[in-house]
Amino acid sequence: MQNIFLFFCFCSLTTLQAQNDSYLKQFKLHVINIQSIFSSCVVFDVDQDGDLDIVSGAFWYEAPNWNKHFVADVDVINGRPDGYSHLPMDINRDGWTDILHCNFRSKSIYWLEHPGSSLGEWQKHIVEEPGPMETGRLYDINQDGQMDVLPNGWYFNAWYELAPAGSGDEARFIRHEIGEEGAGHGNGFGDLNGDGRGDYVGINGWYEASADPEKEPWIWHPDFELGRTSIPIIVADVDLDGDADLIYAQGHDYGIYWEEQLSNTNGKIEWNKHLIDSTWSQGHSPLWVDLDNNGVMEFVDGKRFWSHEGRDPGARDPLVIYSYEYNETKKDFIRRVIQENGPAGFGLDPKAVDIDQDGDMDLVLPGRSGLYWYENLLIQPEK
């Protein structure tokens, strides 16, 4: 009986390993700059030649050969370079993409102005100094078709709207308050209650968006305690049952979790917390992306390198990157390996983008261990 049991275990492990080996072969590692120490990046066509380039910190890298060009000097504060997010926006509406940064140590939001066709040095503009922010993300919060800035403020919850065109100062941001509760390490945005409006998710509850999120107060719901989470906390229908759930990692500890939405009665949502994986730590900046083009979104995350000088739990563990896809039949997650002991870390603002424009999503990964591109080989270009 024991031999039969071991045989079935071996078969299961062999099948799982085969899936992982297949997935590992789906990605090819490219080193963009092993000496890069910047924790954020962005991908867009900097020189408008049709190729997608990479910007990270003080430099941009020109596709397809990744030649390095200067962007601007970056302040180093207590040993860390500023620039905790790289958010692409044409802020001055001149037809060239600028980059907005939300920052922890400088406590500032600022943007770098694209120099245009000269491709010279980028000019820095301060928006505000609202306090320490882990990073920031872009969402259309007021549903006007334009992306807004949502920082992860440690002591505030607010979003920033780019002033409408024709308002007299087209490079000005308008700050909108959300509320005083729920601030801290981690946030997200999405429609939790199914009313068609995006809600704000904090670490110990969520704010229900009003019909006019710019002028009317948001409604606070202290429904959960998530801990020091990743940024973002992803709002999505994780289990494919028709309502929105939450999926996130612990930013400075072990654990990936999802909060299943069980019911929504008169605005009161019931949640059930599930552990997905507790074998690795510091999944600070997850992505929600379909890497295998099967129509099912995946939670893709990896270990951040040396975030607190080795003081975080598991700081010296290998750098891993995994994809988690929910299996609707088995009601569980399939974990696939992208990297198990490699050089690339997930910094503060990694990007999932089809950088080689071949029809599948790639991973561009900045961090203190360097700047890397994991090319997705799912779709091979025609010869």
Side-chain angles (χ1 to χ4, degrees):
M1 182 65 70
Q2 183 179 12
N3 290 337
I4 295 174
F5 173 75
L6 291 173
F7 172 76
F8 279 110
C9 287
F10 175 76
C11 289
S12 298
L13 289 170
T14 302
T15 302
L16 180 60
Q17 186 62 49
Q19 292 176 344
N20 282 334
D21 286 347
S22 175
Y23 213 68
L24 276 166
K25 293 176 183 177
Q26 185 180 318
F27 295 92
K28 178 181 179 180
L29 180 65
H30 300 265
V31 179
I32 306 300
N33 184 359
I34 199 170
Q35 297 178 325
S36 180
I37 59 171
F38 305 104
S39 292
S40 299
C41 74
V42 64
V43 178
F44 63 89
D45 187 358
V46 174
D47 51 2
Q48 297 189 355
D49 67 349
D51 295 325
L52 295 181
D53 311 297
I54 301 171
V55 186
S56 186
F59 304 101
W60 71 277
Y61 301 85
E62 180 183 356
N65 297 318
W66 310 118
N67 298 319
K68 185 170 73 171
H69 305 276
F70 182 66
V71 171
D73 289 325
V74 176
D75 292 334
V76 177
I77 303 171
N78 297 328
R80 297 292 183 89
D82 224 22
Y84 280 44
S85 69
H86 282 43
L87 307 180
M89 303 179 72
D90 184 4
I91 293 171
N92 57 358
R93 298 184 173 92
D94 65 352
W96 297 86
T97 301
D98 312 299
I99 304 172
L100 187 135
H101 300 274
C102 302
N103 303 286
F104 184 80
R105 299 199 178 189
S106 70
K107 305 177 182 179
S108 68
I109 299 174
Y110 64 83
W111 62 282
L112 295 179
E113 181 180 355
H114 194 300
S117 59
S118 71
L119 299 176
E121 185 171 352
W122 299 45
Q123 184 179 357
K124 181 178 179 178
H125 303 272
I126 299 293
V127 175
E128 192 175 272
E129 296 181 358
M133 295 158 282
E134 284 288 313
T135 183
R137 295 293 184 267
L138 297 176
Y139 305 96
D140 184 4
I141 292 178
N142 57 356
Q143 299 181 314
D144 65 351
Q146 304 297 317
M147 300 303 281
D148 307 299
V149 180
L150 181 65
N152 175 220
W154 272 34
Y155 307 115
F156 71 93
N157 298 314
W159 59 281
Y160 292 79
E161 174 190 12
L162 183 61
S167 62
D169 183 359
E170 297 184 0
R172 178 175 62 90
F173 283 88
I174 304 168
R175 173 170 169 159
H176 301 283
E177 301 298 329
I178 295 175
E180 298 180 356
E181 305 291 338
H185 193 299
N187 69 0
F189 182 81
D191 183 7
L192 278 185
N193 57 1
D195 64 359
R197 298 189 292 269
D199 307 301
Y200 175 88
V201 181
I203 60 175
N204 54 6
W206 61 284
Y207 276 102
E208 179 182 349
S210 61
D212 186 348
E214 297 180 16
K215 298 177 182 178
E216 298 177 3
W218 297 54
I219 303 168
W220 174 243
H221 300 274
D223 285 0
F224 39 69
E225 294 282 346
L226 304 183
R228 301 177 70 197
T229 73
S230 57
I231 305 101
I233 301 164
I234 292 169
V235 179
D237 184 6
V238 174
D239 54 355
L240 308 174
D241 68 348
D243 54 27
D245 312 294
L246 306 176
I247 184 168
Y248 58 93
Q250 292 299 307
H252 295 279
D253 208 334
Y254 290 90
I256 300 173
Y257 301 89
W258 72 287
E259 300 275 348
E260 179 186 6
Q261 184 171 165
L262 297 178
S263 64
N264 182 357
T265 305
N266 298 324
K268 175 62 176 176
I269 299 178
E270 298 294 331
W271 303 92
N272 187 19
K273 185 174 184 175
H274 303 269
L275 174 66
I276 299 173
D277 193 351
S278 61
T279 63
W280 61 278
S281 68
Q282 300 177 81
H284 202 282
S285 305
L287 300 166
W288 186 243
V289 58
D290 181 7
L291 289 178
D292 54 8
N293 285 3
N294 69 347
V296 180
M297 299 296 282
E298 303 160 46
F299 184 85
V300 179
D301 204 358
K303 180 181 174 60
R304 185 180 170 194
F305 177 70
W306 220 240
S307 60
H308 284 159
E309 317 305 325
R311 296 189 299 271
D312 284 348
R316 290 168 174 79
D317 294 347
L319 291 177
V320 299
I321 302 171
Y322 296 115
S323 163
Y324 300 85
E325 181 178 310
Y326 187 77
N327 186 306
E328 192 173 7
T329 301
K330 296 183 177 180
K331 307 298 182 185
D332 203 352
F333 286 84
I334 302 169
R335 188 180 86 168
R336 301 187 178 104
V337 178
I338 297 172
Q339 172 184 286
E340 287 231 285
N341 188 11
F346 257 58
L348 294 168
D349 194 0
K351 293 296 193 292
V353 60
D354 184 6
I355 192 169
D356 53 2
Q357 303 180 72
D358 68 347
D360 51 34
M361 300 297 281
D362 310 293
L363 302 175
V364 182
L365 306 176
R368 300 181 75 188
S369 63
L371 177 63
Y372 302 90
W373 162 36
Y374 264 111
E375 179 186 2
N376 192 342
L377 302 176
L378 179 67
I379 298 176
Q380 297 295 317
E382 295 183 4
K383 296 182 180 180

